[in-house]
mmCIF file of all heavy atoms in Angstrom:
data_model
loop_
_atom_site.group_PDB
_atom_site.id
_atom_site.type_symbol
_atom_site.label_atom_id
_atom_site.label_comp_id
_atom_site.label_asym_id
_atom_site.label_seq_id
_atom_site.Cartn_x
_atom_site.Cartn_y
_atom_site.Cartn_z
ATOM 1 N N PRO A 28 -10.168 3.716 -4.892
ATOM 2 C CA PRO A 28 -10.240 2.297 -4.395
ATOM 3 C C PRO A 28 -10.196 1.327 -5.469
ATOM 4 O O PRO A 28 -9.514 0.261 -5.416
ATOM 5 C CB PRO A 28 -11.501 2.239 -3.643
ATOM 6 C CG PRO A 28 -11.745 3.702 -3.145
ATOM 7 C CD PRO A 28 -11.236 4.540 -4.185
ATOM 8 N N ARG A 31 -6.727 1.172 -6.884
ATOM 9 C CA ARG A 31 -5.815 0.555 -6.030
ATOM 10 C C ARG A 31 -5.852 -1.065 -6.132
ATOM 11 O O ARG A 31 -4.890 -1.676 -6.043
ATOM 12 C CB ARG A 31 -6.054 0.983 -4.621
ATOM 13 C CG ARG A 31 -5.516 2.474 -4.323
ATOM 14 C CD ARG A 31 -6.027 3.056 -3.047
ATOM 15 N NE ARG A 31 -5.309 2.420 -1.925
ATOM 16 C CZ ARG A 31 -4.173 3.002 -1.441
ATOM 17 N NH1 ARG A 31 -3.686 4.140 -1.990
ATOM 18 N NH2 ARG A 31 -3.537 2.389 -0.364
ATOM 19 N N ALA A 35 -2.984 -3.491 -7.369
ATOM 20 C CA ALA A 35 -2.689 -4.629 -6.444
ATOM 21 C C ALA A 35 -2.721 -5.927 -7.209
ATOM 22 O O ALA A 35 -1.865 -6.849 -6.985
ATOM 23 C CB ALA A 35 -3.656 -4.614 -5.155
ATOM 24 N N CYS A 37 -2.232 -6.345 -10.429
ATOM 25 C CA CYS A 37 -1.006 -6.471 -11.269
ATOM 26 C C CYS A 37 0.248 -6.710 -10.584
ATOM 27 O O CYS A 37 1.140 -7.450 -11.029
ATOM 28 C CB CYS A 37 -0.852 -5.032 -12.020
ATOM 29 S SG CYS A 37 -2.173 -4.588 -13.213
ATOM 30 N N ARG A 71 1.299 -10.070 -18.935
ATOM 31 C CA ARG A 71 1.064 -11.519 -18.467
ATOM 32 C C ARG A 71 -0.342 -12.025 -18.720
ATOM 33 O O ARG A 71 -0.459 -13.248 -19.043
ATOM 34 C CB ARG A 71 1.395 -11.439 -16.935
ATOM 35 C CG ARG A 71 1.218 -12.815 -16.279
ATOM 36 C CD ARG A 71 2.288 -13.759 -16.725
ATOM 37 N NE ARG A 71 2.005 -15.123 -16.390
ATOM 38 C CZ ARG A 71 2.839 -16.077 -16.596
ATOM 39 N NH1 ARG A 71 4.088 -15.823 -16.958
ATOM 40 N NH2 ARG A 71 2.480 -17.330 -16.302
ATOM 41 N N LEU A 93 -8.615 -13.921 -27.209
ATOM 42 C CA LEU A 93 -7.557 -12.837 -27.228
ATOM 43 C C LEU A 93 -8.071 -11.591 -27.932
ATOM 44 O O LEU A 93 -7.883 -10.459 -27.400
ATOM 45 C CB LEU A 93 -6.307 -13.347 -27.855
ATOM 46 C CG LEU A 93 -5.200 -12.362 -27.990
ATOM 47 C CD1 LEU A 93 -4.670 -11.958 -26.609
ATOM 48 C CD2 LEU A 93 -4.083 -12.866 -28.816
ATOM 49 N N ARG A 102 -10.024 -0.429 -26.656
ATOM 50 C CA ARG A 102 -11.176 0.463 -26.544
ATOM 51 C C ARG A 102 -11.087 1.296 -25.267
ATOM 52 O O ARG A 102 -11.295 2.550 -25.143
ATOM 53 C CB ARG A 102 -12.479 -0.283 -26.594
ATOM 54 C CG ARG A 102 -13.810 0.634 -26.506
ATOM 55 C CD ARG A 102 -15.042 -0.166 -26.888
ATOM 56 N NE ARG A 102 -15.165 -1.345 -26.163
ATOM 57 C CZ ARG A 102 -14.966 -2.623 -26.593
ATOM 58 N NH1 ARG A 102 -14.654 -2.768 -27.831
ATOM 59 N NH2 ARG A 102 -15.242 -3.610 -25.812
ATOM 60 N N LEU A 104 -8.280 2.087 -23.694
ATOM 61 C CA LEU A 104 -7.287 3.127 -23.963
ATOM 62 C C LEU A 104 -7.747 4.367 -24.594
ATOM 63 O O LEU A 104 -7.288 5.446 -24.303
ATOM 64 C CB LEU A 104 -6.089 2.572 -24.687
ATOM 65 C CG LEU A 104 -5.226 1.368 -23.980
ATOM 66 C CD1 LEU A 104 -4.159 0.797 -24.929
ATOM 67 C CD2 LEU A 104 -4.611 2.068 -22.739
ATOM 68 N N GLY A 107 -10.560 5.815 -21.999
ATOM 69 C CA GLY A 107 -10.124 6.066 -20.661
ATOM 70 C C GLY A 107 -10.808 5.364 -19.635
ATOM 71 O O GLY A 107 -10.734 5.653 -18.421
ATOM 72 N N THR A 145 4.532 -20.819 -36.296
ATOM 73 C CA THR A 145 5.284 -21.883 -35.542
ATOM 74 C C THR A 145 6.722 -21.832 -35.808
ATOM 75 O O THR A 145 7.527 -22.499 -35.085
ATOM 76 C CB THR A 145 4.699 -23.245 -35.809
ATOM 77 O OG1 THR A 145 4.936 -23.601 -37.172
ATOM 78 C CG2 THR A 145 3.265 -23.348 -35.436
ATOM 79 N N TYR A 154 11.964 -10.693 -36.251
ATOM 80 C CA TYR A 154 11.974 -9.311 -35.590
ATOM 81 C C TYR A 154 10.549 -8.711 -35.544
ATOM 82 O O TYR A 154 10.194 -7.953 -34.559
ATOM 83 C CB TYR A 154 12.915 -8.416 -36.257
ATOM 84 C CG TYR A 154 13.170 -7.202 -35.529
ATOM 85 C CD1 TYR A 154 14.095 -7.147 -34.509
ATOM 86 C CD2 TYR A 154 12.497 -5.985 -35.698
ATOM 87 C CE1 TYR A 154 14.406 -6.052 -33.672
ATOM 88 C CE2 TYR A 154 12.758 -4.832 -34.963
ATOM 89 C CZ TYR A 154 13.617 -4.851 -33.875
ATOM 90 O OH TYR A 154 13.882 -3.775 -33.123
ATOM 91 N N GLN A 167 7.537 1.044 -23.679
ATOM 92 C CA GLN A 167 6.552 1.432 -22.741
ATOM 93 C C GLN A 167 7.086 1.910 -21.343
ATOM 94 O O GLN A 167 6.545 2.756 -20.748
ATOM 95 C CB GLN A 167 5.618 0.192 -22.437
ATOM 96 C CG GLN A 167 4.668 -0.236 -23.576
ATOM 97 C CD GLN A 167 4.117 -1.632 -23.420
ATOM 98 O OE1 GLN A 167 4.170 -2.153 -22.273
ATOM 99 N NE2 GLN A 167 3.652 -2.187 -24.437
ATOM 100 N N ASN A 178 16.271 9.990 -26.419
ATOM 101 C CA ASN A 178 17.497 9.283 -26.809
ATOM 102 C C ASN A 178 17.841 7.938 -26.207
ATOM 103 O O ASN A 178 18.787 7.242 -26.619
ATOM 104 C CB ASN A 178 18.805 10.224 -26.590
ATOM 105 C CG ASN A 178 18.694 11.546 -27.411
ATOM 106 O OD1 ASN A 178 18.536 11.433 -28.654
ATOM 107 N ND2 ASN A 178 18.865 12.630 -26.803
ATOM 108 N N ALA A 182 17.986 2.215 -27.157
ATOM 109 C CA ALA A 182 18.499 1.171 -26.164
ATOM 110 C C ALA A 182 17.427 0.426 -25.577
ATOM 111 O O ALA A 182 17.630 -0.795 -25.320
ATOM 112 C CB ALA A 182 19.254 2.040 -25.024
ATOM 113 N N GLU A 226 13.925 -31.198 -32.993
ATOM 114 C CA GLU A 226 12.839 -31.992 -32.460
ATOM 115 C C GLU A 226 13.426 -33.310 -31.806
ATOM 116 O O GLU A 226 12.807 -33.887 -30.906
ATOM 117 C CB GLU A 226 11.873 -32.415 -33.630
ATOM 118 C CG GLU A 226 11.200 -31.123 -34.285
ATOM 119 C CD GLU A 226 9.908 -30.787 -33.465
ATOM 120 O OE1 GLU A 226 9.728 -31.333 -32.395
ATOM 121 O OE2 GLU A 226 9.195 -29.856 -33.935
ATOM 122 N N ALA A 227 14.585 -33.752 -32.398
ATOM 123 C CA ALA A 227 15.061 -34.999 -31.773
ATOM 124 C C ALA A 227 15.797 -34.755 -30.409
ATOM 125 O O ALA A 227 16.005 -35.687 -29.581
ATOM 126 C CB ALA A 227 16.296 -35.422 -32.704
ATOM 127 N N LEU A 258 21.356 7.302 -19.780
ATOM 128 C CA LEU A 258 20.540 8.382 -20.081
ATOM 129 C C LEU A 258 19.288 8.405 -19.308
ATOM 130 O O LEU A 258 18.617 9.509 -19.297
ATOM 131 C CB LEU A 258 20.158 8.500 -21.599
ATOM 132 C CG LEU A 258 21.300 8.546 -22.612
ATOM 133 C CD1 LEU A 258 20.815 8.503 -24.063
ATOM 134 C CD2 LEU A 258 22.146 9.887 -22.361
ATOM 135 N N THR A 262 17.699 7.358 -10.565
ATOM 136 C CA THR A 262 17.052 6.487 -9.662
ATOM 137 C C THR A 262 16.551 5.217 -10.398
ATOM 138 O O THR A 262 16.222 4.275 -9.753
ATOM 139 C CB THR A 262 15.924 7.155 -8.965
ATOM 140 O OG1 THR A 262 14.869 7.544 -9.954
ATOM 141 C CG2 THR A 262 16.442 8.381 -8.177
ATOM 142 N N PHE A 305 22.223 -6.941 -4.500
ATOM 143 C CA PHE A 305 22.957 -6.170 -3.360
ATOM 144 C C PHE A 305 23.600 -4.982 -3.966
ATOM 145 O O PHE A 305 23.559 -3.791 -3.534
ATOM 146 C CB PHE A 305 23.954 -6.988 -2.647
ATOM 147 C CG PHE A 305 24.568 -6.273 -1.490
ATOM 148 C CD1 PHE A 305 23.902 -5.872 -0.386
ATOM 149 C CD2 PHE A 305 25.975 -5.942 -1.631
ATOM 150 C CE1 PHE A 305 24.528 -5.170 0.676
ATOM 151 C CE2 PHE A 305 26.576 -5.219 -0.611
ATOM 152 C CZ PHE A 305 25.863 -4.846 0.510
#
Side-chain angles (χ1 to χ4, degrees):
R31 288 171 74 90
C37 292
R71 180 68 198 189
L93 179 64
R102 183 166 54 251
L104 290 175
T145 60
Y154 194 80
Q167 292 166 14
N178 293 311
E226 296 278 5
L258 299 175
T262 62
F305 179 73

